[in-house]
Amino acid sequence: MSHRLLSLLVVFVFATGAHAEGPVSVTAEAGVKQPQAAVDAKGRIFVAFGKGNEIRCAVSEDLGKTFREGRVGSIGALSLGMRRGPRVAVTEDAIVITAIGGDEGKGRDGDVLAWRSTDWGSTWSGPIRVNAVVGSAREGLHAMAAGPNGQVFCTWLDLRNKTTEIFGARSSDGGATWEPDVLVYHSPDKSVCECCHPSAAYGTDGTLYVMWRNLMKGNRDMYLAKSDDGGKTFSSASKLGQGSWQLNACPMDGGSVSVGANGGVTTVWMRAGSTFLASPGQKEQKLGAGVQGWTAIGPDGPYAVWLESRPGKLVMLAPGSSTPKTLSDKAFDPMIASAPGGKGPVVAAWEGTPEAPGIHAMVIAPASKPAR
């Protein structure tokens, strides 16, 4: 089948909203972990995950009915588990996958490495090291987001200065090259929360947001910074929500940020065993008891997924609903993704359990408009 005919088929499926009903198996292989998904403007779904020291990517061109899986690359010791693992972002011309690893692993070394595909996952080039200081990303926790005009931003917990800071780096050419990394945030109390992953999201106008769990006077609260120049510089950080959480430990739960077509920002995160939804400057809304929350904005507004326990029941709250829907009776580390500007399908992905191993995905909402 020609690439043009395949693209037309994808657009047709995207426009008609035909999608898989219920969860599908991206892969049933045991030992695969930490899925992350991205959706492009044509409704193609990309799911990155790891197994051992290998990074893989599965691609669906029929709105999540079927996936073809391929190998991206490998690292001597890949950071994997508890939200460590590959991240995936997609621009108009390329898929970008990042992962953290080194020769030894287990916190002794680790760099952010980036791979790139321009044939939609058939072949991959790389890796390119993203962090400037070798070994500074050894905590293994990071995030990535794609913006307009080929922009990609990667952010991570950085240890170059003998404390935990938020650093990031931008690519303006879809991951082909990376600019020098920049400091996103340094806590006046010396360190941010040491084991919670950051998150990042672009608006359709190129505005970038980075979120992380801070450590201020013993409080493990969520903070957000904004960049109006695509990741070159950042505003002062602001706390999310009105409550605070005194905790002398790291909860290992970093939450998620998303941006709608109108520029509205939604965050989902955990505090003291409950999951909250909040927008900057507004009071947080309690969604329910649970952990490992994630959010994405679809055609009709923000969606949220979280676990009632880890592992445990995976639930989702859709826009306009007051009652969460169960997606799986038992799961690990879910996430949810949508197409740019919320104009396409919303896709949840999660890690299975020993009883039902593999990576699972489900298209929650089909496209409201055809891709252009």
Side-chain angles (χ1 to χ4, degrees):
M1 182 182 296
S2 71
H3 287 294
R4 176 173 175 77
L5 182 57
L6 182 57
S7 295
L8 289 173
L9 177 60
V10 170
V11 171
F12 172 75
V13 174
F14 190 35
T16 58
H19 63 283
E21 297 291 339
V24 300
S25 176
V26 177
T27 174
E29 187 175 353
V32 291
K33 291 181 177 292
Q34 303 296 289
Q36 289 284 311
V39 184
D40 75 0
K42 293 182 178 178
R44 289 175 290 209
I45 301 166
F46 307 90
V47 181
F49 52 93
K51 181 180 182 183
N53 295 322
E54 189 171 88
I55 301 108
R56 300 182 188 176
C57 181
V59 182
S60 175
E61 295 172 314
D62 54 10
L63 277 189
K65 291 181 178 180
T66 61
F67 286 84
R68 57 175 173 85
E69 181 186 341
R71 180 183 181 274
V72 176
S74 63
I75 301 175
L78 173 66
S79 293
L80 197 62
M82 289 305 296
R83 294 299 197 190
R84 296 174 178 86
R87 297 292 188 264
V88 58
V90 59
T91 70
E92 186 175 345
D93 300 315
I95 315 166
V96 184
I97 287 181
T98 52
I100 295 178
D103 293 330
E104 299 182 70
K106 297 184 178 179
R108 291 185 288 267
D109 62 358
D111 296 307
V112 182
L113 302 173
W115 288 259
R116 183 173 188 259
S117 174
T118 56
D119 55 13
W120 309 112
S122 295
T123 60
W124 295 86
S125 61
I128 298 172
R129 179 162 53 89
V130 177
N131 53 305
V133 177
V134 174
S136 66
R138 57 188 177 274
E139 182 55 47
L141 292 161
H142 78 300
M144 185 170 52
N149 304 315
Q151 294 181 83
V152 179
F153 189 82
C154 184
T155 185
W156 62 90
L157 299 193
D158 194 280
L159 299 170
R160 71 185 65 186
N161 293 318
K162 312 303 180 185
T163 187
T164 307
E165 300 170 306
I166 306 297
F167 268 75
R170 185 180 80 148
S171 171
S172 58
D173 54 13
T177 60
W178 292 83
E179 298 174 9
D181 52 21
V182 298
L183 176 67
V184 176
Y185 180 80
H186 171 84
S187 171
D189 279 9
K190 296 185 178 180
S191 177
V192 302
C193 196
E194 305 90 342
C195 300
C196 290
H197 69 90
S199 60
Y202 274 99
T204 54
D205 63 352
T207 305
L208 172 66
Y209 295 86
V210 175
M211 186 180 77
W212 64 93
R213 191 179 295 278
N214 212 351
L215 177 53
M216 296 277 283
K217 299 180 181 180
N219 291 321
R220 307 272 177 166
D221 299 326
M222 306 304 297
Y223 277 65
L224 187 74
K226 175 184 175 183
S227 175
D228 291 318
D229 54 18
K232 294 180 180 179
T233 60
F234 286 85
S235 65
S236 298
S238 58
K239 178 179 171 294
L240 290 162
Q242 297 178 3
S244 286
W245 187 17
Q246 277 274 329
L247 182 68
N248 189 26
C250 180
M252 304 188 77
D253 196 334
S256 171
V257 57
S258 59
V259 187
N262 63 355
V265 178
T266 299
T267 68
V268 167
W269 35 269
M270 185 271 288
R271 183 176 70 214
S274 294
T275 298
F276 294 86
L277 182 148
S279 294
Q282 297 183 17
K283 180 178 173 58
E284 62 271 42
Q285 171 193 348
K286 185 176 178 180
L287 300 180
V291 297
Q292 301 294 335
W294 211 279
T295 181
I297 296 181
D300 47 356
Y303 289 73
V305 294
W306 67 96
L307 298 174
E308 291 187 348
S309 61
R310 186 183 186 276
K313 183 183 291 186
L314 167 59
V315 295
M316 176 203 68
L317 188 68
S321 175
S322 60
T323 303
K325 174 185 176 181
T326 299
L327 302 185
S328 175
D329 289 331
K330 196 173 183 182
F332 280 103
D333 299 350
M335 65 87 58
I336 193 164
S338 60
K343 295 181 180 179
V346 179
V347 181
W350 61 92
E351 182 182 318
T353 63
E355 299 80 15
I359 302 298
H360 308 279
M362 181 177 177
V363 173
I364 304 300
S368 61
K369 297 178 181 179
R372 298 293 183 186

